[in-house]
Amino acid sequence: EVQLVESGGGLVQAGGSLRLSCAASGFTFDDWPIGWFRQAPGKEREGVSCISSSDGSTYYAGSVKGRFTISSDNAKNTVYLQMNSLKPEDTAVYYCAARGYCSGNYYYLYPHDYWGQGTQVTVSS
């Protein structure tokens, strides 16, 4: 059974930093792309970042490029999202996701791909 467990969310002031973690199990970690989506109240889910171990591709949404960094520790089956210079508009529930399509320009999931339960990130102004 595929499981994705997020942690590291919380409340932070604008300009601050958080690091999200996603512990993955139930699949061979470097077989699939893995990454992060987020959903703010009243908005559609947005692909934030992903990493593909097969070819080293990473993707960042334009709104987070230069502020967020994705990384993975294959020995721990864990992917991280380091979020710096946080803004109130980064407030959302952040979801870890596995499989799908990840390249330098695109990140999307198919209906049969996998999601975690999400972790809340709140950035106060």
Side-chain angles (χ1 to χ4, degrees):
E1 178 187 4
V2 173
Q3 287 193 322
L4 302 167
V5 180
E6 302 99 334
S7 60
L11 173 64
V12 65
Q13 287 189 331
S17 298
L18 285 173
R19 188 176 81 155
L20 305 183
S21 300
C22 172
S25 60
F27 63 100
T28 302
F29 188 70
D30 55 2
D31 273 356
W32 295 342
I34 190 165
W36 297 89
F37 278 71
R38 68 184 180 185
Q39 189 165 22
K43 295 188 177 181
E44 292 189 356
R45 199 168 290 190
E46 172 191 25
V48 175
S49 181
C50 64
I51 186 166
S52 176
S53 296
S54 63
D55 62 5
S57 296
T58 56
Y59 166 85
Y60 294 97
S63 57
V64 307
K65 199 170 290 186
R67 299 188 297 121
F68 291 12
T69 303
I70 192 168
S71 62
S72 64
D73 185 336
N74 287 8
K76 295 182 178 180
N77 285 5
T78 300
V79 64
Y80 304 98
L81 186 68
Q82 178 66 44
M83 306 186 295
N84 298 329
S85 302
L86 283 161
K87 304 175 181 180
E89 52 263 44
D90 294 317
T91 295
V93 179
Y94 284 70
Y95 298 90
C96 181
R99 211 161 56 179
Y101 178 80
C102 174
S103 74
N105 297 312
Y106 301 103
Y107 179 35
Y108 53 82
L109 297 183
Y110 301 101
H112 55 271
D113 292 326
Y114 300 97
W115 299 89
Q117 292 300 305
T119 185
Q120 176 71 46
V121 171
T122 303
V123 185
S124 63
S125 57

